[in-house]
Amino acid sequence: MRGDKSVRLAVDIGGTFTDVVLELGDVRHSAKVLTNVQNPELGLLDGVRVVLEEAQVDPADIDVFVHGTTLATNALIERKVAKTALITTKGFEDVLELGYEKRFDHYDLMIDMPPAIVPATIRFGVTERLAQDGDVLAALDEDELVNICVELCAAQVEAVAIGFLHAYAHSEHEKRARDIVRRELGAGVTICVSHEVCPEIREYERFSTTCANASVRPLIEGYLTRLAKELSELGINAPLFLMMSGGGLTTLESAARFPIRLVESGPAGGAILASHIAKQGDLDNVLSFDMGGTTAKICLIADAVPERARHFEIARTYRDTKGSGWPVRIPVIEMVEIGAGGGSIARIDAMQRIKVGPDSAGAEPGPVSYGRGGELATVTDANLVLGKIDPAYFAGGKLQLYPDAAQDALGQQIGASLGLEEFWPAAGVVEIVEENMANAARVHAIERGRDIAASTMIAFGGGAPLHLCRLAEKLSINKMIVPAGAGVGSAIGFLRAPISYEVTRSFPMVLDHPNMKRANEMLEDMAREAGDIVRPAAGDRKVQVQRVVDIRYQGQGHELQITLPEGTLDAADAQWIHDQFETQYRAIYGVTLDNVPSEIVTWSVTVFCEIDDGVSPTFGEGEAAEIAPRSHRELFDGAQGAMLDTPVYWRFDLPVGAKISGPAIIAEHETSTIVTSQFDAEIDDHSYIILTRKEAV
C-alpha cells in the first residue's frame, strides 16, 4: 500500500521496448518489456502490472499517470493511417505536391522526393477566397462543396483536412466548410481545420500539419479510448497526461484532438530528464544522448534548457536529410535523430563497407540473439558478442539472449565478406554505429556554433550507457553522467515534465509601427485558450505563462525567437524587443542590418505548471558496505582493440563516493554502463555514475 506517499506512474512505448516507471515517494521501481506492435496497450498493461506488484501498490493508489508513445510517428512513417482527403482553396490543390519548390539534394539525379501526404486523387479545390485583411474576394461556394462531399463519400475517406488560404488569420470560411462537411459525411468521418491545428502563415506547412493530424487522429483516438478503458478496468483512476513533443504534458482530450503534437514524445521525455540533471548539477553545457532499440537521439542543452523549435519533419525518405519528409509545425524539442539503435540492422554494402541502419529489426522479430525468428545481424547482437550485454540478464532478466546465434549471424553476414573472424565482425559493426552517432553529434553542434568537447554528456536509454565512453573518446568529451534508471530514462523524464499547452498565432507586426492594443488583446485571448486546458489539470498548483515571438528583418524568410517581457506591452517594449532581436542576430550572424525594420511574424503563449516535486528517487535496494565485483567477463575495449577480462559490478552495491577505474562494467536492471580503459567512474550524491577521463601519464 502507498501509505501517505505520492504514487506516480509513467510509461514510454518505443519501437522495441515499453518502459514503465513507478515512483513511490522517494523510491523508484521500473520495468522494461517488449512492445506489443499490434496492440501496444497490452504491452503497456503488462509492464504496469509488473511494477505495481514489485512496489506492492494498489492501482487505485496511483495519483498521476503520464504516457508517451511513438504510435503516431510510426503510423505516419509506415503509412498506416486513415484515408485522408484535403479540401482547400481552388487553385491551391497541389501545394502539398509543390512543397518548397526545390530539391533537398541538388546533386542526386536519382532523388526520391517524398510522396504527398494526401494523393492528388483526393485533393479538392473549392471556390472561396479571403484576403489577408479579411476582405471577401470570393464567397464560399456551398453547392460546390456539397458536390465534393459526394465524391468523398464515393472515395470512402475516413478523415478530411480543410485548409484555406489566410485561414490562420480569418477562419470564417473554414468553420462554415467544416459544418457542411460534417453534415454531409456524418460523425463517422474525422474533420480537422487548419486554423485550429496550425494557425500560422506558410500554407504548405499548415496544410501538411493539418493533413497529418487528420490522418492519425482516428488511430490515436481509438488507442486512447481503449487505453482509458483498460486502465479503468485495472483500477487506475488517476488523471492521464500525455507527453508532447515540446516537452510538456497535456490532457487525454487535447491529445486525442491534436495527436500530431505527440510525435517525438518519447525523446522529449529524455531531454527533460537531461535538463533536470543539468539543473541539479549546475551544468551550463550538456549533450543529451538517448539510444534505444530503434534510434539514437542527440540534444543540446544550455543553462538547463533544451533547444526548442517549431518545425519538424516526419517520414523522411532520406532519414538524415532535411527536406526529404513531411513538414509539421508543432512545438518540438530540437534534436538530431539517427537510425542507430540496438535493433539497427548491419550489412555489407556494394562497396564492401559495413553499413548500420537506418532500418531496425524492432521487437518483432527482433535481433538474431532474441531467438524470436530474426535472421539479420544487429547492433544488439554485436554488443552481446563483445561482452557488453549479459545474455542471462537482458531487460532485467526477462529476455534470454543467445550469443552463439549472434556470433554466427555476424560471421556469415559481415565477417565472411571482409575476411574477419572471432569478435572482429561485431567490433566493426559497433565501431561504425558509434562513428555514425559521433558524426551526427559533431554536425548538430557545428550548425549551432557549439563546442561539443566542452559539453557534459548525459546518457540514458537501454543502449546509450553501452556506447557513451567510446562516443566520448571520439568527441573529446571529458565528463559523462549516467543517471539512476538510465535504461528507462525517457519515462523518468515524463515525471519531471510540466503540464503545459502552447497556443500559436500568426499576426505580422512591424515594430516601427506597432499595434500594441491588438497585440495585447490577442495575447490575452491566447493565454485564456491555453489556460482552459492547463488549469483544470493543474489543481491547486501554481500556473505560469511564457510568451515568445518569432521575429525577422522585414522581407526575410526565417525568424529568430525572443521571449516577451511580462505584463501589458507598450511602445517602449517594441523598442526593447527590437534591441533583443538585433543582439541575438548579431551573435548568430555577426552583423545587423541598418535601416531595415524588424517584424514580428508569429506569437506564442505557453501556460504551464510544474508537477515535479524536485525529489530524486532511488531504487528500492540497500547499499552494500563493500565495493567488490560480482563477476568477471570478457569485454572488448575499443581503445585497446582487444578483449579484456573485466570486472562486473552491480550498480546498487556501490555506495555514494564509490570509485571504479576502467575497464569495468556497472550493471543494473535495464542496461549496463561500459567504463572503458580511458575513464574512471564514481557514484555521486544523487546515485548518478560520473565518468571522467583519466589523466595522461
Side-chain angles (χ1 to χ4, degrees):
M1 296 293 292
R2 60 177 286 178
D4 58 353
K5 298 178 179 179
S6 64
V7 183
R8 304 196 294 174
L9 181 68
V11 179
D12 176 25
I13 298 181
T16 305
F17 287 100
T18 294
D19 298 340
V20 184
V21 170
L22 184 144
E23 290 186 353
L24 176 59
D26 59 355
V27 177
R28 181 184 297 141
H29 302 269
S30 63
K32 184 182 284 284
V33 298
L34 284 172
T35 294
N36 187 319
V37 178
Q38 300 303 320
N39 301 103
E41 68 274 14
L42 298 183
L44 178 155
L45 291 168
D46 289 341
V48 168
R49 291 188 184 98
V50 169
V51 296
L52 287 176
E53 182 178 353
E54 179 183 309
Q56 293 295 295
V57 169
D58 292 332
D61 289 336
I62 294 173
D63 298 305
V64 175
F65 184 13
V66 184
H67 180 29
T69 175
T70 60
L71 191 60
T73 311
N74 292 343
L76 287 163
I77 291 173
E78 298 169 9
R79 314 292 201 269
K80 295 178 180 178
V81 294
K83 186 176 183 180
T84 304
L86 171 66
I87 299 175
T88 187
T89 305
K90 181 168 286 187
F92 289 82
E93 299 91 335
D94 293 329
V95 164
L96 293 179
E97 203 87 48
L98 294 171
Y100 298 114
E101 300 183 9
K102 65 179 181 180
R103 295 158 61 91
F104 59 82
D105 187 340
H106 295 288
Y107 303 103
D108 185 351
L109 300 181
M110 306 299 291
I111 193 172
D112 291 323
M113 296 297 290
I117 192 169
V118 174
T121 53
I122 47 176
R123 299 198 301 260
F124 300 90
V126 63
T127 299
E128 75 84 31
R129 189 70 177 265
L130 292 175
Q132 185 179 4
D133 60 5
D135 288 346
V136 179
L137 303 181
L140 175 65
D141 191 326
E142 298 187 3
D143 292 335
E144 188 177 0
L145 184 57
V146 170
N147 292 332
I148 290 173
C149 289
V150 173
E151 295 188 58
L152 294 176
C153 286
Q156 297 182 323
V157 300
E158 301 165 280
V160 177
I162 301 174
F164 293 154
L165 201 66
H166 300 311
Y168 64 89
H170 306 284
S171 59
E172 295 82 1
H173 282 183
E174 275 196 358
K175 291 177 180 176
R176 179 56 183 158
R178 175 183 56 192
D179 294 342
I180 293 172
V181 174
R182 180 176 289 128
R183 181 191 71 201
E184 297 296 317
L185 299 186
V189 175
T190 294
I191 303 172
C192 294
V193 287
S194 73
H195 75 272
E196 290 182 348
V197 178
C198 180
E200 299 184 47
I201 62 171
R202 300 184 174 96
E203 57 270 14
Y204 170 44
E205 294 170 345
R206 177 159 52 92
F207 293 176
S208 179
T209 305
T210 307
C211 290
N213 192 75
S215 66
V216 298
R217 196 160 99 177
L219 172 72
I220 299 300
E221 279 184 328
Y223 166 72
L224 292 177
T225 299
R226 295 194 308 273
L227 177 61
K229 181 175 180 292
E230 295 279 1
L231 292 175
S232 178
E233 291 177 355
L234 185 61
I236 297 176
N237 298 308
L240 172 60
F241 298 112
L242 278 297
M243 186 75 194
M244 295 186 294
S245 56
L249 306 178
T250 191
T251 61
L252 184 147
E253 294 76 14
S254 175
R257 189 180 179 194
F258 301 115
I260 194 62
R261 293 196 177 205
L262 303 182
V263 301
E264 296 298 286
S265 63
I272 293 297
L273 172 62
S275 299
H276 177 77
I277 295 169
K279 186 175 181 179
Q280 282 182 323
D282 196 24
L283 303 173
D284 297 330
N285 194 0
V286 163
L287 173 69
S288 165
F289 171 37
D290 178 5
M291 183 178 179
T294 306
T295 57
K297 283 77 64 174
I298 292 165
C299 176
L300 298 176
I301 298 171
D303 299 323
V305 178
E307 289 193 1
R308 287 182 166 85
R310 291 204 47 77
H311 180 277
F312 182 72
E313 282 187 15
I314 299 173
R316 286 177 172 172
T317 53
Y318 290 49
R319 177 177 280 271
D320 300 323
T321 304
K322 294 178 182 178
S324 65
W326 297 324
V328 292
R329 288 193 69 82
I330 56 173
V332 63
I333 290 180
E334 183 77 70
M335 62 183 70
V336 59
E337 182 171 340
I338 61 174
S344 295
I345 295 170
R347 59 176 61 84
I348 300 296
D349 67 11
M351 297 181 67
Q352 292 295 292
R353 302 173 302 184
I354 298 175
K355 181 180 179 182
V356 181
D359 49 335
S360 172
E364 298 177 5
V368 175
S369 55
Y370 282 16
R372 298 165 61 91
E375 298 179 350
L376 300 177
T378 67
V379 173
T380 291
D381 296 318
N383 281 327
L384 181 61
V385 170
L386 297 179
K388 295 186 176 186
I389 296 173
D390 182 350
Y393 202 74
F394 184 68
K398 298 179 180 65
L399 185 61
Q400 173 72 38
L401 299 186
Y402 302 92
D404 290 343
Q407 184 149 3
D408 289 345
L410 286 159
Q412 294 168 13
Q413 298 170 28
I414 304 296
S417 297
L418 302 179
L420 299 176
E421 298 179 348
E422 299 179 325
F423 58 84
W424 287 108
V429 169
V430 169
E431 183 69 15
I432 291 299
V433 78
E434 288 169 346
E435 186 56 43
N436 288 346
M437 292 187 290
N439 187 59
R442 291 186 196 102
V443 172
H444 191 59
I446 290 170
E447 288 178 343
R448 285 150 184 79
R450 300 279 290 274
D451 178 10
I452 199 168
S455 302
T456 297
M457 186 190 303
I458 299 176
F460 47 89
L466 303 176
H467 298 272
L468 84 161
C469 280
R470 188 63 176 150
L471 194 61
E473 291 171 14
K474 293 176 178 292
L475 297 173
S476 300
I477 290 175
N478 295 320
K479 180 180 179 181
M480 298 93 76
I481 299 174
V482 181
V488 291
S490 289
I492 295 172
F494 293 171
L495 298 176
R496 308 278 87 81
I499 302 171
S500 69
Y501 198 78
E502 179 178 345
V503 173
T504 303
R505 294 182 187 173
S506 286
F507 168 52
M509 187 177 80
V510 179
L511 290 178
D512 279 4
H513 307 286
N515 184 348
M516 286 305 188
K517 182 176 183 296
R518 168 74 188 279
N520 285 314
E521 291 173 351
M522 182 179 63
L523 289 170
E524 289 177 7
D525 185 54
M526 294 165 69
R528 190 179 308 111
E529 181 181 340
D532 287 344
I533 294 175
V534 172
R535 285 189 174 87
D540 57 0
R541 300 181 183 93
K542 180 182 178 182
V543 173
Q544 303 176 62
V545 179
Q546 183 183 54
R547 309 180 301 180
V548 300
V549 292
D550 292 342
I551 184 172
R552 66 188 182 188
Y553 282 118
Q554 193 172 23
Q556 290 184 330
H558 299 279
E559 300 85 37
L560 299 178
Q561 198 168 86
I562 300 295
T563 300
L564 293 178
E566 297 180 357
T568 302
L569 302 177
D570 56 27
D573 290 315
Q575 181 62 46
W576 181 88
I577 295 168
H578 172 79
D579 293 343
Q580 293 295 309
F581 164 68
E582 290 212 320
T583 298
Q584 188 177 141
Y585 196 95
R586 185 182 298 107
I588 294 174
Y589 301 110
V591 297
T592 55
L593 305 184
D594 296 335
N595 302 318
V596 179
S598 55
E599 174 187 37
I600 295 175
V601 177
T602 302
W603 309 67
S604 299
V605 175
T606 301
V607 176
F608 65 98
C609 75
E610 302 288 349
I611 64 171
D612 178 26
D613 56 11
V615 175
S616 296
T618 59
F619 283 78
E621 301 193 18
E623 296 175 343
E626 296 182 4
I627 306 173
R630 289 198 175 186
S631 62
H632 286 72
R633 71 169 180 260
E634 291 289 301
L635 172 72
F636 180 76
D637 189 273
Q640 298 190 36
M643 298 290 287
L644 305 176
D645 182 57
T646 306
V648 180
Y649 297 87
W650 184 240
R651 180 164 187 164
F652 309 107
D653 289 347
L654 304 177
V656 170
K659 297 181 179 180
I660 295 172
S661 181
I665 300 170
I666 303 176
E668 55 187 291
H669 295 290
E670 294 91 9
T671 189
S672 293
T673 299
I674 304 301
V675 187
T676 67
S677 58
Q678 306 297 304
F679 290 89
D680 291 327
E682 181 176 359
I683 307 300
D684 77 350
D685 292 340
H686 299 289
S687 296
Y688 300 160
I689 301 173
I690 310 297
L691 299 112
T692 53
R693 189 182 298 273
K694 295 180 180 179
E695 296 182 4
V697 179

